[in-house]
Amino acid sequence: EKGYHTVYLRVFDPAGNLIINREEDLFEAEGQKMQFSSKIQFNYNDDNATLSIDWLNPKKFSKGTYSIILYTDGFVMGKSQLALR
């Protein structure tokens, strides 16, 4: 739907731990409260605009595969993995 939305980013380190900045950063999705790594708010106009999330890891990156999940409007909108050497 057109209008304002929030996208929540969850980043998991290679050990499966969620990387967060603050314990109180919570949102609700799929019927449960979850912590998030970062978020952005945007105005969706169905105009093929490109969005990006600038996220800084509060910890040092380590080798391995990181999992990334994006949520909006209470549901998963995308998943990916990134391997760091």
Side-chain angles (χ1 to χ4, degrees):
E1 292 181 19
K2 290 183 180 182
Y4 285 93
H5 298 271
T6 302
V7 174
Y8 297 93
L9 168 71
R10 299 184 84 207
V11 180
F12 295 87
D13 68 16
N17 300 309
L18 177 64
I19 302 171
I20 59 171
N21 291 323
R22 300 177 331 166
E23 294 284 331
E24 61 271 9
D25 286 344
L26 299 171
F27 72 106
E28 190 168 323
E30 299 176 350
Q32 57 185 313
K33 289 196 179 219
M34 300 182 191
Q35 292 176 303
F36 61 88
S37 304
S38 187
K39 70 177 180 177
I40 62 166
Q41 293 182 315
F42 67 98
N43 186 13
Y44 176 70
N45 292 313
D46 195 19
D47 59 1
N48 293 323
T50 301
L51 299 172
S52 64
I53 298 175
D54 294 326
W55 175 72
L56 296 174
N57 188 352
K59 302 176 181 178
K60 182 179 177 183
F61 282 107
S62 58
K63 290 181 183 180
T65 302
Y66 288 75
S67 297
I68 300 136
I69 307 173
L70 296 172
Y71 292 82
T72 193
D73 300 327
F75 298 97
V76 172
M77 69 179 287
K79 296 180 181 181
S80 188
Q81 291 187 329
L82 175 68
L84 299 181
R85 294 184 247 160

